[in-house]
């Protein structure tokens, strides 16, 4: 998992800067994307971490990551503060406080790799916005974080983290195996980019819709329909981001048609649920982050 690109830092005047370093994920498909991030001298702000089909694992290399289900919670006494973030699949935005300076490594983890890499099924992370990483990975995770902080180069950090995850995957039998029907169901939804039907999916894996939904939710924490919507939104959001990064206005009607939405209004509905904003309002809020490269690798907290 070595670095493949360093995005150009975005500077505000002479003091502020942002850096995103992308690494090629290790083989096996468990880690979908890996991004190192660092910012300095920025005006403190509140960021929306969007739902996606992937779990989130963040090792902060600076202060704790502060989150909440609402802006008031994220900025108030009930905020969740942790140095290592583990986030399950969720259906609404998480609000993340962006301080004046921050740094970390963020991984997007495939839900069906949760048993191997995290030691539990993804469903056990459902219901909570985030979980302290030491509660999931054990106290050794705190040592891993300290070793990551001691490294000077992103390449060394990614190599060390890759070795740690490989050791965990080698001991994967401790958390049991994913049922093959669930694995094939997820792969079928991914091939259809979330546009397939539950009837077609259940026929493909030779289970009733009710039985498949129960097994799927017990493993991932979401139903097949919810997973399909997350996948479809992920592809639609990526198309919006690409258009904005290229300096063009997103054609939402075409994006909706190309990404399997019934119509434009259904895409707008998903944006409103998953971001709390209309597509145009979300683009306006995130434009600078998009141009800085903060939405380019499958990671959806976009530190």
């Amino acid at each position: 998992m070595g670095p493949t690109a360093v995005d150009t830092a975005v500077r505000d005047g002479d003091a502020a800067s942002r850096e995103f370093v992308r690494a090629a994920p290790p083989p096996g498909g468990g880690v979908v994307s890996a991004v190192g991030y660092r910012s300095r001298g920025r005006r403190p702000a509140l960021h929306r971490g969007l739902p996606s089909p992937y779990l989130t694992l963040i090792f902060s290399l600076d202060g704790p990551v502060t989150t909440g289900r609402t802006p008031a919670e994220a900025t108030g006494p009930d905020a969740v503060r942790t140095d290592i973030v583990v986030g399950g699949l969720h259906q609404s935005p998480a609000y993340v406080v962006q301080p004046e300076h921050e740094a970390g490594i963020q991984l997007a983890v495939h839900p069906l790799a949760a048993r191997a890499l995290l030691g539990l099924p993804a469903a056990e992370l459902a219901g909570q916005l985030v979980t302290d990483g030491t509660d999931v990975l054990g106290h050794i995770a705190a040592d891993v974080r300290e070793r990551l902080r001691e490294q000077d180069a992103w390449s060394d950090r990614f190599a060390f983290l890759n070795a740690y995850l490989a050791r965990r995957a080698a001991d994967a039998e401790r958390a049991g195996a994913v049922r093959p029907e669930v694995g094939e169901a997820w792969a079928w939804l991914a091939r259809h980019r979330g546009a397939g039907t539950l009837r077609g999916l259940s026929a493909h894996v030779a289970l009733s819709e009710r039985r498949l939904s129960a097994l799927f939710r017990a493993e991932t924490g979401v139903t097949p329909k919810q997973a399909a919507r997350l996948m479809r939104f992920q592809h639609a959001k990526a198309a919006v981001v690409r258009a904005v990064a290229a300096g063009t206005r997103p054609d939402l009607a075409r994006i909706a048609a190309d990404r399997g939405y019934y119509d434009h209004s259904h895409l707008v509905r998903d944006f409103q649920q998953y971001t709390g904003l209309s597509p145009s309002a979300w683009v306006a809020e995130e434009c600078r982050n998009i141009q800085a490269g903060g939405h380019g690798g499958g990671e959806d907290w976009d530190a």
Side-chain angles (χ1 to χ4, degrees), residues 56-65 80-87 105 118 130-146 148 164:
T56 299
L57 175 59
I58 300 174
F59 286 86
S60 173
L61 305 180
D62 201 332
V65 178
V80 178
R81 297 175 177 84
T82 180
D83 294 324
I84 305 170
V85 171
V86 178
I105 294 179
L118 305 180
V130 300
T131 302
D132 190 315
T134 58
D135 291 341
V136 176
L137 302 168
H139 291 295
I140 191 174
D143 296 332
V144 170
R145 174 177 176 265
E146 288 304 314
L148 291 171
Y164 165 66

Side-chain angles (χ1 to χ4, degrees), residues 1-2 4 22-34 108 162 297:
M1 188 162 62
T4 59
R22 308 191 184 283
V31 175
V32 179
S33 73
N162 189 31

Side-chain angles (χ1 to χ4, degrees), residues 173-265:
E173 66 272 8
R174 68 190 181 283
V178 177
R179 288 187 59 129
E181 302 96 328
V182 175
E184 181 56 32
W186 188 281
W188 189 92
L189 288 173
R191 287 196 299 272
H192 288 78
R193 295 191 171 191
T197 65
L198 181 57
R199 177 178 296 180
L201 176 60
S202 63
H204 177 73
V205 298
L207 290 174
S208 70
E209 294 181 16
R210 177 177 294 181
R211 178 61 173 161
L212 172 60
S213 294
L215 291 174
F216 196 97
R217 186 164 196 164
E219 183 65 40
T220 68
V222 297
T223 66
K225 182 177 180 179
Q226 289 172 324
R229 284 187 65 195
L230 287 170
M231 292 178 186
R232 193 164 57 243
F233 174 71
Q234 179 85 351
H235 287 291
K237 180 174 72 72
V240 170
V241 166
R242 284 194 296 271
V244 174
T248 61
R249 183 175 181 177
D251 184 340
L252 296 179
R254 177 175 291 278
I255 289 172
D258 290 346
R259 298 307 185 274
Y261 283 89
Y262 181 75
D263 57 24
H264 169 261
S265 65

Side-chain angles (χ1 to χ4, degrees), residues 14-72:
D14 295 327
S17 66
R18 282 182 285 180
E19 178 185 24
F20 298 95
V21 182
R22 308 191 184 283
V31 175
V32 179
S33 73
V35 178
Y37 62 89
R38 176 166 34 216
S39 68
R40 301 184 186 90
R42 296 177 61 188
R43 180 179 301 173
L46 197 62
H47 175 67
R48 298 168 195 264
L50 304 189
S52 87
Y54 309 121
L55 311 178
T56 299
L57 175 59
I58 300 174
F59 286 86
S60 173
L61 305 180
D62 201 332
V65 178
T66 303
T67 61
R69 294 184 183 274
T70 65

